[in-house]
Amino acid sequence: MIALIRISKFAVVILFLVAASCLLAYAYKSSHTCSVCKTHYATQVEVASAPHVLQKGQRLTAADITFVKVPAYFLPSRVFSKEDVPCVVGQQLNNRVEEGALLLPSDFEEPRTRADGSCANWK
């Protein structure tokens, strides 16, 4: 009987330590996740996206561009904003672009340079 009481006290201590460890891990994860969300994921950027499947060789029209908000943390180095629309409309696609995919400079054949030079370095 005494051995059983010792085992149950030992089991209670072990359960308490496991529960305390779980609570500490949860508290750390919660505080860490919140700070990451605030610093990395909070800044949203509006970028050009394909509203439907775009075929290789197709010339892009304004109807082929939609804008979505994406956390800046996840964006590639070069994406298109609303200011870039005149640079991409009329450009020929060199590959298929799936619905919802971001439009990237690598999706186009050759950049078109406007008279003011604003599209000269978009690739």
Side-chain angles (χ1 to χ4, degrees):
M1 183 74 167
I2 293 176
L4 185 60
I5 292 172
R6 281 189 193 160
I7 291 174
S8 7
K9 285 182 182 180
F10 183 71
V12 169
V13 170
I14 295 295
L15 285 175
F16 175 77
L17 290 174
V18 168
S21 298
C22 289
L23 285 174
L24 286 173
Y26 176 77
Y28 173 77
K29 184 177 185 282
S30 296
S31 66
H32 181 70
T33 301
C34 291
S35 65
V36 169
C37 289
K38 289 177 185 173
T39 58
H40 293 296
Y41 307 135
T43 304
Q44 300 277 317
V45 178
E46 201 168 26
V47 295
S49 174
H52 50 267
V53 175
L54 303 173
Q55 299 300 327
K56 179 180 179 176
Q58 174 181 341
R59 292 223 177 259
L60 207 64
T61 66
D64 296 325
I65 303 171
T66 189
F67 292 90
V68 295
K69 288 187 176 183
V70 178
Y73 183 75
F74 293 111
L75 291 177
S77 60
R78 183 66 178 103
V79 292
F80 297 112
S81 65
K82 288 186 178 181
E83 293 80 31
D84 296 318
V85 169
C87 300
V88 296
V89 168
Q91 293 297 311
Q92 187 172 7
L93 292 167
N94 66 1
N95 58 312
R96 177 184 164 107
V97 179
E98 296 298 324
E99 179 179 344
L102 298 182
L103 293 173
L104 303 172
S106 59
D107 293 328
F108 299 95
E109 291 289 332
E110 291 294 324
R112 175 180 21 171
T113 304
R114 295 193 310 188
D116 65 1
S118 60
C119 298
N121 297 319
W122 67 285
K123 219 171 191 190

